[in-house]
Amino acid sequence: MTRIRLIALPLLVSLALALVLAACGGTATPTPTPAASSASTATPTATATSGTATGGTATSSAATSTATSGAATSGAATSDTATSSTATSGSTAGRVVLVVNPSQSQVSYTAHEQLVGHTLPNDAVGKTSAVSGQIVLDATGQPVASASKITVDLTTLRSDESRRDNYIKQNTLETSKYPQATFVPKSITGLSWPLPTSGQAQFQLTGDLTVHGVTKTVTWQVTATFNQNTVQGTATTQVTFEDFGMQPPKVPVVLSVEDNLVLTANLQLTVQTSS
């Protein structure tokens, strides 16, 4: 009996120890595994989360930046296009073009001269209908100098005395070198806007007159009659031969010629509008 107890006791102790160890081992062993698993799981999760957050934010930020940049660029392009379109449109919208009708127009000069054998002075008048061109008015009623010009063919001037005409063309105007006179309007004073479609008005037209290769700023006094589609105007100004580097003509039948000249333009202009 005692021997059985002695044999059983170690077995009981071993069994108890095994149970204890098993119990301890069951508690201890699973603990590191979950901890390691938790750490392992946590780390990737954190990494993944961090990666997602960082990458996602960066991607989102980049995308937002790109989108914003694209939108800004697109907006700028659209704005520039719109501005360009507006500028182009604004440069022509509301313009009025007055085109010279040569068949109903005439330009002339008047010079006071004293003829040989005459006690009273005489007015020498040279005329031509060889006039062409246009005057372009912008949306405010002012001339567009770059698009406006009136041209007169001086080689076609005629008066009542051919000898005078020949001398003036050859020696005074030197039409072989300077066959044309031109006028470029630059400003209008005293004309109501929009352009009248009826009635009469008086105003001043200032611009650059070029004769004999010399350009001077002159102001014309204008009286115009307005209709729906035409303007009939008479413009006058005074200049001198000296203004344009010329000498008063001297011909056998003329005793003297005053330096002052009166220039007159009787023009009929057709009205055209730009929308």
PDB file of all heavy atoms in Angstrom, residues 222-262:
ATOM      1  N   VAL A 222     -16.650 122.894 -91.461  1.00  0.00           N
ATOM      2  CA  VAL A 222     -17.541 122.027 -92.244  1.00  0.00           C
ATOM      3  C   VAL A 222     -19.011 122.374 -92.007  1.00  0.00           C
ATOM      4  O   VAL A 222     -19.432 122.588 -90.870  1.00  0.00           O
ATOM      5  CB  VAL A 222     -17.318 120.543 -91.881  1.00  0.00           C
ATOM      6  CG1 VAL A 222     -18.173 119.640 -92.774  1.00  0.00           C
ATOM      7  CG2 VAL A 222     -15.840 120.164 -91.994  1.00  0.00           C
ATOM      8  N   THR A 223     -19.744 122.442 -93.099  1.00  0.00           N
ATOM      9  CA  THR A 223     -21.208 122.523 -93.042  1.00  0.00           C
ATOM     10  C   THR A 223     -21.734 121.312 -93.788  1.00  0.00           C
ATOM     11  O   THR A 223     -21.392 121.108 -94.960  1.00  0.00           O
ATOM     12  CB  THR A 223     -21.739 123.811 -93.699  1.00  0.00           C
ATOM     13  OG1 THR A 223     -21.222 124.938 -92.982  1.00  0.00           O
ATOM     14  CG2 THR A 223     -23.260 123.850 -93.651  1.00  0.00           C
ATOM     15  N   ALA A 224     -22.536 120.498 -93.109  1.00  0.00           N
ATOM     16  CA  ALA A 224     -22.987 119.238 -93.712  1.00  0.00           C
ATOM     17  C   ALA A 224     -24.495 119.074 -93.582  1.00  0.00           C
ATOM     18  O   ALA A 224     -25.106 119.503 -92.602  1.00  0.00           O
ATOM     19  CB  ALA A 224     -22.285 118.065 -93.060  1.00  0.00           C
ATOM     20  N   THR A 225     -25.063 118.458 -94.610  1.00  0.00           N
ATOM     21  CA  THR A 225     -26.483 118.109 -94.605  1.00  0.00           C
ATOM     22  C   THR A 225     -26.587 116.595 -94.536  1.00  0.00           C
ATOM     23  O   THR A 225     -25.955 115.884 -95.337  1.00  0.00           O
ATOM     24  CB  THR A 225     -27.183 118.627 -95.877  1.00  0.00           C
ATOM     25  OG1 THR A 225     -27.044 120.051 -95.931  1.00  0.00           O
ATOM     26  CG2 THR A 225     -28.662 118.264 -95.864  1.00  0.00           C
ATOM     27  N   PHE A 226     -27.382 116.109 -93.588  1.00  0.00           N
ATOM     28  CA  PHE A 226     -27.454 114.672 -93.325  1.00  0.00           C
ATOM     29  C   PHE A 226     -28.756 114.070 -93.824  1.00  0.00           C
ATOM     30  O   PHE A 226     -29.839 114.646 -93.664  1.00  0.00           O
ATOM     31  CB  PHE A 226     -27.315 114.411 -91.826  1.00  0.00           C
ATOM     32  CG  PHE A 226     -26.002 114.853 -91.257  1.00  0.00           C
ATOM     33  CD1 PHE A 226     -25.833 116.151 -90.781  1.00  0.00           C
ATOM     34  CD2 PHE A 226     -24.924 113.980 -91.200  1.00  0.00           C
ATOM     35  CE1 PHE A 226     -24.618 116.568 -90.257  1.00  0.00           C
ATOM     36  CE2 PHE A 226     -23.702 114.386 -90.686  1.00  0.00           C
ATOM     37  CZ  PHE A 226     -23.547 115.695 -90.212  1.00  0.00           C
ATOM     38  N   ASN A 227     -28.619 112.903 -94.441  1.00  0.00           N
ATOM     39  CA  ASN A 227     -29.763 112.074 -94.818  1.00  0.00           C
ATOM     40  C   ASN A 227     -29.529 110.680 -94.250  1.00  0.00           C
ATOM     41  O   ASN A 227     -28.477 110.408 -93.645  1.00  0.00           O
ATOM     42  CB  ASN A 227     -29.925 112.028 -96.335  1.00  0.00           C
ATOM     43  CG  ASN A 227     -30.317 113.393 -96.897  1.00  0.00           C
ATOM     44  OD1 ASN A 227     -31.338 113.957 -96.513  1.00  0.00           O
ATOM     45  ND2 ASN A 227     -29.483 113.927 -97.790  1.00  0.00           N
ATOM     46  N   GLN A 228     -30.470 109.799 -94.448  1.00  0.00           N
ATOM     47  CA  GLN A 228     -30.364 108.466 -93.883  1.00  0.00           C
ATOM     48  C   GLN A 228     -29.124 107.735 -94.369  1.00  0.00           C
ATOM     49  O   GLN A 228     -28.436 107.073 -93.598  1.00  0.00           O
ATOM     50  CB  GLN A 228     -31.616 107.649 -94.230  1.00  0.00           C
ATOM     51  CG  GLN A 228     -31.689 106.302 -93.526  1.00  0.00           C
ATOM     52  CD  GLN A 228     -31.896 106.429 -92.028  1.00  0.00           C
ATOM     53  OE1 GLN A 228     -32.623 107.310 -91.577  1.00  0.00           O
ATOM     54  NE2 GLN A 228     -31.251 105.560 -91.247  1.00  0.00           N
ATOM     55  N   ASN A 229     -28.813 107.862 -95.666  1.00  0.00           N
ATOM     56  CA  ASN A 229     -27.710 107.094 -96.247  1.00  0.00           C
ATOM     57  C   ASN A 229     -26.581 107.935 -96.815  1.00  0.00           C
ATOM     58  O   ASN A 229     -25.596 107.380 -97.309  1.00  0.00           O
ATOM     59  CB  ASN A 229     -28.245 106.169 -97.352  1.00  0.00           C
ATOM     60  CG  ASN A 229     -29.260 105.172 -96.827  1.00  0.00           C
ATOM     61  OD1 ASN A 229     -29.045 104.558 -95.787  1.00  0.00           O
ATOM     62  ND2 ASN A 229     -30.374 105.025 -97.530  1.00  0.00           N
ATOM     63  N   THR A 230     -26.688 109.248 -96.794  1.00  0.00           N
ATOM     64  CA  THR A 230     -25.647 110.108 -97.355  1.00  0.00           C
ATOM     65  C   THR A 230     -25.398 111.335 -96.487  1.00  0.00           C
ATOM     66  O   THR A 230     -26.262 111.749 -95.712  1.00  0.00           O
ATOM     67  CB  THR A 230     -26.006 110.592 -98.783  1.00  0.00           C
ATOM     68  OG1 THR A 230     -27.216 111.359 -98.716  1.00  0.00           O
ATOM     69  CG2 THR A 230     -26.165 109.427 -99.736  1.00  0.00           C
ATOM     70  N   VAL A 231     -24.203 111.876 -96.667  1.00  0.00           N
ATOM     71  CA  VAL A 231     -23.845 113.158 -96.047  1.00  0.00           C
ATOM     72  C   VAL A 231     -23.286 114.040 -97.153  1.00  0.00           C
ATOM     73  O   VAL A 231     -22.361 113.639 -97.871  1.00  0.00           O
ATOM     74  CB  VAL A 231     -22.784 112.977 -94.938  1.00  0.00           C
ATOM     75  CG1 VAL A 231     -22.383 114.339 -94.379  1.00  0.00           C
ATOM     76  CG2 VAL A 231     -23.302 112.085 -93.829  1.00  0.00           C
ATOM     77  N   GLN A 232     -23.850 115.240 -97.319  1.00  0.00           N
ATOM     78  CA  GLN A 232     -23.348 116.198 -98.306  1.00  0.00           C
ATOM     79  C   GLN A 232     -22.701 117.333 -97.529  1.00  0.00           C
ATOM     80  O   GLN A 232     -23.364 118.030 -96.755  1.00  0.00           O
ATOM     81  CB  GLN A 232     -24.497 116.738 -99.163  1.00  0.00           C
ATOM     82  CG  GLN A 232     -24.045 117.590-100.338  1.00  0.00           C
ATOM     83  CD  GLN A 232     -23.393 116.770-101.444  1.00  0.00           C
ATOM     84  OE1 GLN A 232     -23.900 115.725-101.838  1.00  0.00           O
ATOM     85  NE2 GLN A 232     -22.256 117.251-101.955  1.00  0.00           N
ATOM     86  N   GLY A 233     -21.391 117.474 -97.700  1.00  0.00           N
ATOM     87  CA  GLY A 233     -20.679 118.461 -96.892  1.00  0.00           C
ATOM     88  C   GLY A 233     -19.791 119.383 -97.695  1.00  0.00           C
ATOM     89  O   GLY A 233     -19.281 119.020 -98.755  1.00  0.00           O
ATOM     90  N   THR A 234     -19.622 120.596 -97.173  1.00  0.00           N
ATOM     91  CA  THR A 234     -18.678 121.562 -97.742  1.00  0.00           C
ATOM     92  C   THR A 234     -17.687 121.936 -96.647  1.00  0.00           C
ATOM     93  O   THR A 234     -18.082 122.417 -95.572  1.00  0.00           O
ATOM     94  CB  THR A 234     -19.393 122.820 -98.238  1.00  0.00           C
ATOM     95  OG1 THR A 234     -20.305 122.464 -99.280  1.00  0.00           O
ATOM     96  CG2 THR A 234     -18.393 123.838 -98.781  1.00  0.00           C
ATOM     97  N   ALA A 235     -16.405 121.706 -96.908  1.00  0.00           N
ATOM     98  CA  ALA A 235     -15.357 121.987 -95.930  1.00  0.00           C
ATOM     99  C   ALA A 235     -14.373 122.986 -96.519  1.00  0.00           C
ATOM    100  O   ALA A 235     -13.977 122.871 -97.686  1.00  0.00           O
ATOM    101  CB  ALA A 235     -14.634 120.697 -95.554  1.00  0.00           C
ATOM    102  N   THR A 236     -13.978 123.981 -95.722  1.00  0.00           N
ATOM    103  CA  THR A 236     -13.017 124.990 -96.189  1.00  0.00           C
ATOM    104  C   THR A 236     -11.907 125.186 -95.160  1.00  0.00           C
ATOM    105  O   THR A 236     -12.122 125.026 -93.957  1.00  0.00           O
ATOM    106  CB  THR A 236     -13.708 126.344 -96.438  1.00  0.00           C
ATOM    107  OG1 THR A 236     -14.273 126.823 -95.210  1.00  0.00           O
ATOM    108  CG2 THR A 236     -14.791 126.232 -97.490  1.00  0.00           C
ATOM    109  N   THR A 237     -10.732 125.532 -95.660  1.00  0.00           N
ATOM    110  CA  THR A 237      -9.603 125.871 -94.800  1.00  0.00           C
ATOM    111  C   THR A 237      -8.677 126.799 -95.561  1.00  0.00           C
ATOM    112  O   THR A 237      -8.739 126.869 -96.806  1.00  0.00           O
ATOM    113  CB  THR A 237      -8.844 124.612 -94.346  1.00  0.00           C
ATOM    114  OG1 THR A 237      -7.918 124.964 -93.314  1.00  0.00           O
ATOM    115  CG2 THR A 237      -8.087 123.969 -95.497  1.00  0.00           C
ATOM    116  N   GLN A 238      -7.818 127.514 -94.842  1.00  0.00           N
ATOM    117  CA  GLN A 238      -6.871 128.425 -95.476  1.00  0.00           C
ATOM    118  C   GLN A 238      -5.444 127.985 -95.187  1.00  0.00           C
ATOM    119  O   GLN A 238      -5.110 127.635 -94.045  1.00  0.00           O
ATOM    120  CB  GLN A 238      -7.076 129.856 -94.974  1.00  0.00           C
ATOM    121  CG  GLN A 238      -8.361 130.495 -95.458  1.00  0.00           C
ATOM    122  CD  GLN A 238      -8.417 131.989 -95.177  1.00  0.00           C
ATOM    123  OE1 GLN A 238      -7.388 132.637 -94.969  1.00  0.00           O
ATOM    124  NE2 GLN A 238      -9.620 132.545 -95.188  1.00  0.00           N
ATOM    125  N   VAL A 239      -4.637 127.997 -96.221  1.00  0.00           N
ATOM    126  CA  VAL A 239      -3.216 127.651 -96.096  1.00  0.00           C
ATOM    127  C   VAL A 239      -2.421 128.653 -96.923  1.00  0.00           C
ATOM    128  O   VAL A 239      -2.995 129.522 -97.588  1.00  0.00           O
ATOM    129  CB  VAL A 239      -2.935 126.215 -96.595  1.00  0.00           C
ATOM    130  CG1 VAL A 239      -3.676 125.188 -95.750  1.00  0.00           C
ATOM    131  CG2 VAL A 239      -3.309 126.071 -98.070  1.00  0.00           C
ATOM    132  N   THR A 240      -1.118 128.523 -96.894  1.00  0.00           N
ATOM    133  CA  THR A 240      -0.263 129.360 -97.737  1.00  0.00           C
ATOM    134  C   THR A 240       0.628 128.469 -98.593  1.00  0.00           C
ATOM    135  O   THR A 240       0.842 127.285 -98.273  1.00  0.00           O
ATOM    136  CB  THR A 240       0.620 130.293 -96.887  1.00  0.00           C
ATOM    137  OG1 THR A 240       1.571 129.489 -96.142  1.00  0.00           O
ATOM    138  CG2 THR A 240      -0.216 131.121 -95.913  1.00  0.00           C
ATOM    139  N   PHE A 241       1.153 129.032 -99.668  1.00  0.00           N
ATOM    140  CA  PHE A 241       2.117 128.295-100.487  1.00  0.00           C
ATOM    141  C   PHE A 241       3.328 127.934 -99.625  1.00  0.00           C
ATOM    142  O   PHE A 241       3.874 126.828 -99.724  1.00  0.00           O
ATOM    143  CB  PHE A 241       2.567 129.155-101.680  1.00  0.00           C
ATOM    144  CG  PHE A 241       1.527 129.330-102.743  1.00  0.00           C
ATOM    145  CD1 PHE A 241       0.804 130.518-102.836  1.00  0.00           C
ATOM    146  CD2 PHE A 241       1.263 128.326-103.655  1.00  0.00           C
ATOM    147  CE1 PHE A 241      -0.151 130.694-103.819  1.00  0.00           C
ATOM    148  CE2 PHE A 241       0.311 128.480-104.654  1.00  0.00           C
ATOM    149  CZ  PHE A 241      -0.402 129.665-104.723  1.00  0.00           C
ATOM    150  N   GLU A 242       3.730 128.878 -98.772  1.00  0.00           N
ATOM    151  CA  GLU A 242       4.917 128.675 -97.952  1.00  0.00           C
ATOM    152  C   GLU A 242       4.747 127.518 -96.968  1.00  0.00           C
ATOM    153  O   GLU A 242       5.721 126.827 -96.646  1.00  0.00           O
ATOM    154  CB  GLU A 242       5.226 129.968 -97.186  1.00  0.00           C
ATOM    155  CG  GLU A 242       6.535 129.921 -96.405  1.00  0.00           C
ATOM    156  CD  GLU A 242       6.821 131.227 -95.693  1.00  0.00           C
ATOM    157  OE1 GLU A 242       6.078 132.209 -95.908  1.00  0.00           O
ATOM    158  OE2 GLU A 242       7.797 131.249 -94.912  1.00  0.00           O
ATOM    159  N   ASP A 243       3.508 127.302 -96.494  1.00  0.00           N
ATOM    160  CA  ASP A 243       3.259 126.191 -95.564  1.00  0.00           C
ATOM    161  C   ASP A 243       3.751 124.866 -96.110  1.00  0.00           C
ATOM    162  O   ASP A 243       4.187 123.991 -95.352  1.00  0.00           O
ATOM    163  CB  ASP A 243       1.751 126.066 -95.271  1.00  0.00           C
ATOM    164  CG  ASP A 243       1.238 127.151 -94.347  1.00  0.00           C
ATOM    165  OD1 ASP A 243       2.059 127.751 -93.619  1.00  0.00           O
ATOM    166  OD2 ASP A 243       0.015 127.404 -94.368  1.00  0.00           O
ATOM    167  N   PHE A 244       3.685 124.726 -97.415  1.00  0.00           N
ATOM    168  CA  PHE A 244       4.032 123.450 -98.051  1.00  0.00           C
ATOM    169  C   PHE A 244       5.278 123.556 -98.935  1.00  0.00           C
ATOM    170  O   PHE A 244       5.461 122.764 -99.866  1.00  0.00           O
ATOM    171  CB  PHE A 244       2.833 122.934 -98.849  1.00  0.00           C
ATOM    172  CG  PHE A 244       1.641 122.649 -97.975  1.00  0.00           C
ATOM    173  CD1 PHE A 244       0.642 123.604 -97.812  1.00  0.00           C
ATOM    174  CD2 PHE A 244       1.532 121.453 -97.286  1.00  0.00           C
ATOM    175  CE1 PHE A 244      -0.447 123.359 -96.994  1.00  0.00           C
ATOM    176  CE2 PHE A 244       0.450 121.197 -96.462  1.00  0.00           C
ATOM    177  CZ  PHE A 244      -0.544 122.160 -96.300  1.00  0.00           C
ATOM    178  N   GLY A 245       6.106 124.542 -98.618  1.00  0.00           N
ATOM    179  CA  GLY A 245       7.390 124.676 -99.314  1.00  0.00           C
ATOM    180  C   GLY A 245       7.282 125.059-100.767  1.00  0.00           C
ATOM    181  O   GLY A 245       8.126 124.672-101.592  1.00  0.00           O
ATOM    182  N   MET A 246       6.248 125.855-101.124  1.00  0.00           N
ATOM    183  CA  MET A 246       6.051 126.261-102.516  1.00  0.00           C
ATOM    184  C   MET A 246       6.116 127.780-102.650  1.00  0.00           C
ATOM    185  O   MET A 246       5.907 128.518-101.685  1.00  0.00           O
ATOM    186  CB  MET A 246       4.690 125.761-103.021  1.00  0.00           C
ATOM    187  CG  MET A 246       4.525 124.260-102.977  1.00  0.00           C
ATOM    188  SD  MET A 246       2.906 123.708-103.615  1.00  0.00           S
ATOM    189  CE  MET A 246       1.785 124.394-102.381  1.00  0.00           C
ATOM    190  N   GLN A 247       6.384 128.240-103.858  1.00  0.00           N
ATOM    191  CA  GLN A 247       6.387 129.663-104.184  1.00  0.00           C
ATOM    192  C   GLN A 247       5.133 130.003-104.980  1.00  0.00           C
ATOM    193  O   GLN A 247       4.679 129.195-105.801  1.00  0.00           O
ATOM    194  CB  GLN A 247       7.625 130.029-105.013  1.00  0.00           C
ATOM    195  CG  GLN A 247       8.948 129.847-104.268  1.00  0.00           C
ATOM    196  CD  GLN A 247       9.075 130.819-103.093  1.00  0.00           C
ATOM    197  OE1 GLN A 247       8.645 131.976-103.173  1.00  0.00           O
ATOM    198  NE2 GLN A 247       9.648 130.337-101.998  1.00  0.00           N
ATOM    199  N   PRO A 248       4.529 131.174-104.737  1.00  0.00           N
ATOM    200  CA  PRO A 248       3.371 131.581-105.546  1.00  0.00           C
ATOM    201  C   PRO A 248       3.731 131.569-107.029  1.00  0.00           C
ATOM    202  O   PRO A 248       4.852 131.936-107.418  1.00  0.00           O
ATOM    203  CB  PRO A 248       3.082 133.009-105.057  1.00  0.00           C
ATOM    204  CG  PRO A 248       3.626 133.046-103.669  1.00  0.00           C
ATOM    205  CD  PRO A 248       4.859 132.187-103.713  1.00  0.00           C
ATOM    206  N   PRO A 249       2.823 131.121-107.869  1.00  0.00           N
ATOM    207  CA  PRO A 249       3.113 131.036-109.313  1.00  0.00           C
ATOM    208  C   PRO A 249       3.311 132.408-109.945  1.00  0.00           C
ATOM    209  O   PRO A 249       2.699 133.400-109.537  1.00  0.00           O
ATOM    210  CB  PRO A 249       1.862 130.342-109.870  1.00  0.00           C
ATOM    211  CG  PRO A 249       0.784 130.632-108.881  1.00  0.00           C
ATOM    212  CD  PRO A 249       1.451 130.662-107.558  1.00  0.00           C
ATOM    213  N   LYS A 250       4.177 132.435-110.962  1.00  0.00           N
ATOM    214  CA  LYS A 250       4.426 133.663-111.722  1.00  0.00           C
ATOM    215  C   LYS A 250       4.330 133.323-113.204  1.00  0.00           C
ATOM    216  O   LYS A 250       5.167 132.595-113.738  1.00  0.00           O
ATOM    217  CB  LYS A 250       5.818 134.219-111.400  1.00  0.00           C
ATOM    218  CG  LYS A 250       5.987 134.644-109.941  1.00  0.00           C
ATOM    219  CD  LYS A 250       7.402 135.151-109.676  1.00  0.00           C
ATOM    220  CE  LYS A 250       7.574 135.583-108.224  1.00  0.00           C
ATOM    221  NZ  LYS A 250       8.942 136.065-107.939  1.00  0.00           N
ATOM    222  N   VAL A 251       3.291 133.842-113.817  1.00  0.00           N
ATOM    223  CA  VAL A 251       3.088 133.618-115.250  1.00  0.00           C
ATOM    224  C   VAL A 251       2.903 134.974-115.932  1.00  0.00           C
ATOM    225  O   VAL A 251       2.544 135.963-115.269  1.00  0.00           O
ATOM    226  CB  VAL A 251       1.857 132.719-115.505  1.00  0.00           C
ATOM    227  CG1 VAL A 251       2.129 131.319-114.985  1.00  0.00           C
ATOM    228  CG2 VAL A 251       0.619 133.288-114.846  1.00  0.00           C
ATOM    229  N   PRO A 252       3.140 135.044-117.233  1.00  0.00           N
ATOM    230  CA  PRO A 252       3.102 136.330-117.939  1.00  0.00           C
ATOM    231  C   PRO A 252       1.808 137.123-117.764  1.00  0.00           C
ATOM    232  O   PRO A 252       1.837 138.347-117.684  1.00  0.00           O
ATOM    233  CB  PRO A 252       3.302 135.939-119.400  1.00  0.00           C
ATOM    234  CG  PRO A 252       4.098 134.677-119.327  1.00  0.00           C
ATOM    235  CD  PRO A 252       3.596 133.969-118.126  1.00  0.00           C
ATOM    236  N   VAL A 253       0.680 136.454-117.697  1.00  0.00           N
ATOM    237  CA  VAL A 253      -0.585 137.186-117.635  1.00  0.00           C
ATOM    238  C   VAL A 253      -0.941 137.600-116.213  1.00  0.00           C
ATOM    239  O   VAL A 253      -1.912 138.328-115.989  1.00  0.00           O
ATOM    240  CB  VAL A 253      -1.743 136.342-118.210  1.00  0.00           C
ATOM    241  CG1 VAL A 253      -1.518 136.092-119.692  1.00  0.00           C
ATOM    242  CG2 VAL A 253      -1.902 135.025-117.433  1.00  0.00           C
ATOM    243  N   VAL A 254      -0.151 137.128-115.222  1.00  0.00           N
ATOM    244  CA  VAL A 254      -0.453 137.419-113.823  1.00  0.00           C
ATOM    245  C   VAL A 254       0.613 138.349-113.262  1.00  0.00           C
ATOM    246  O   VAL A 254       1.811 138.071-113.338  1.00  0.00           O
ATOM    247  CB  VAL A 254      -0.506 136.127-112.991  1.00  0.00           C
ATOM    248  CG1 VAL A 254      -0.763 136.447-111.527  1.00  0.00           C
ATOM    249  CG2 VAL A 254      -1.575 135.191-113.538  1.00  0.00           C
ATOM    250  N   LEU A 255       0.144 139.457-112.698  1.00  0.00           N
ATOM    251  CA  LEU A 255       1.052 140.428-112.109  1.00  0.00           C
ATOM    252  C   LEU A 255       1.540 139.956-110.739  1.00  0.00           C
ATOM    253  O   LEU A 255       2.729 140.040-110.431  1.00  0.00           O
ATOM    254  CB  LEU A 255       0.355 141.787-111.978  1.00  0.00           C
ATOM    255  CG  LEU A 255       1.208 142.951-111.434  1.00  0.00           C
ATOM    256  CD1 LEU A 255       2.388 143.225-112.374  1.00  0.00           C
ATOM    257  CD2 LEU A 255       0.341 144.201-111.257  1.00  0.00           C
ATOM    258  N   SER A 256       0.620 139.486-109.922  1.00  0.00           N
ATOM    259  CA  SER A 256       0.986 138.996-108.593  1.00  0.00           C
ATOM    260  C   SER A 256      -0.083 138.029-108.084  1.00  0.00           C
ATOM    261  O   SER A 256      -1.232 138.043-108.539  1.00  0.00           O
ATOM    262  CB  SER A 256       1.124 140.157-107.601  1.00  0.00           C
ATOM    263  OG  SER A 256      -0.125 140.825-107.428  1.00  0.00           O
ATOM    264  N   VAL A 257       0.316 137.183-107.151  1.00  0.00           N
ATOM    265  CA  VAL A 257      -0.594 136.218-106.526  1.00  0.00           C
ATOM    266  C   VAL A 257      -0.379 136.277-105.020  1.00  0.00           C
ATOM    267  O   VAL A 257       0.758 136.243-104.542  1.00  0.00           O
ATOM    268  CB  VAL A 257      -0.332 134.785-107.023  1.00  0.00           C
ATOM    269  CG1 VAL A 257      -1.261 133.797-106.322  1.00  0.00           C
ATOM    270  CG2 VAL A 257      -0.501 134.702-108.522  1.00  0.00           C
ATOM    271  N   GLU A 258      -1.473 136.385-104.281  1.00  0.00           N
ATOM    272  CA  GLU A 258      -1.366 136.377-102.823  1.00  0.00           C
ATOM    273  C   GLU A 258      -0.909 135.007-102.344  1.00  0.00           C
ATOM    274  O   GLU A 258      -1.204 133.984-102.968  1.00  0.00           O
ATOM    275  CB  GLU A 258      -2.707 136.731-102.183  1.00  0.00           C
ATOM    276  CG  GLU A 258      -3.125 138.178-102.406  1.00  0.00           C
ATOM    277  CD  GLU A 258      -4.422 138.514-101.682  1.00  0.00           C
ATOM    278  OE1 GLU A 258      -4.885 137.670-100.876  1.00  0.00           O
ATOM    279  OE2 GLU A 258      -4.969 139.606-101.921  1.00  0.00           O
ATOM    280  N   ASP A 259      -0.213 135.023-101.197  1.00  0.00           N
ATOM    281  CA  ASP A 259       0.299 133.760-100.663  1.00  0.00           C
ATOM    282  C   ASP A 259      -0.817 132.885-100.083  1.00  0.00           C
ATOM    283  O   ASP A 259      -0.696 131.661-100.035  1.00  0.00           O
ATOM    284  CB  ASP A 259       1.340 134.047 -99.575  1.00  0.00           C
ATOM    285  CG  ASP A 259       2.099 132.800 -99.157  1.00  0.00           C
ATOM    286  OD1 ASP A 259       2.328 131.931-100.017  1.00  0.00           O
ATOM    287  OD2 ASP A 259       2.431 132.673 -97.967  1.00  0.00           O
ATOM    288  N   ASN A 260      -1.894 133.509 -99.637  1.00  0.00           N
ATOM    289  CA  ASN A 260      -2.990 132.745 -99.030  1.00  0.00           C
ATOM    290  C   ASN A 260      -3.804 131.986-100.078  1.00  0.00           C
ATOM    291  O   ASN A 260      -4.107 132.506-101.155  1.00  0.00           O
ATOM    292  CB  ASN A 260      -3.931 133.676 -98.263  1.00  0.00           C
ATOM    293  CG  ASN A 260      -3.258 134.275 -97.040  1.00  0.00           C
ATOM    294  OD1 ASN A 260      -2.416 133.637 -96.416  1.00  0.00           O
ATOM    295  ND2 ASN A 260      -3.618 135.501 -96.697  1.00  0.00           N
ATOM    296  N   LEU A 261      -4.165 130.774 -99.716  1.00  0.00           N
ATOM    297  CA  LEU A 261      -5.007 129.934-100.565  1.00  0.00           C
ATOM    298  C   LEU A 261      -6.210 129.473 -99.761  1.00  0.00           C
ATOM    299  O   LEU A 261      -6.091 129.134 -98.578  1.00  0.00           O
ATOM    300  CB  LEU A 261      -4.240 128.696-101.036  1.00  0.00           C
ATOM    301  CG  LEU A 261      -3.147 128.876-102.097  1.00  0.00           C
ATOM    302  CD1 LEU A 261      -2.363 127.568-102.225  1.00  0.00           C
ATOM    303  CD2 LEU A 261      -3.758 129.255-103.432  1.00  0.00           C
ATOM    304  N   VAL A 262      -7.354 129.442-100.393  1.00  0.00           N
ATOM    305  CA  VAL A 262      -8.546 128.871 -99.770  1.00  0.00           C
ATOM    306  C   VAL A 262      -8.801 127.524-100.434  1.00  0.00           C
ATOM    307  O   VAL A 262      -8.955 127.449-101.656  1.00  0.00           O
ATOM    308  CB  VAL A 262      -9.770 129.789 -99.927  1.00  0.00           C
ATOM    309  CG1 VAL A 262     -11.002 129.100 -99.344  1.00  0.00           C
ATOM    310  CG2 VAL A 262      -9.536 131.139 -99.259  1.00  0.00           C
TER     311      VAL A 262
END
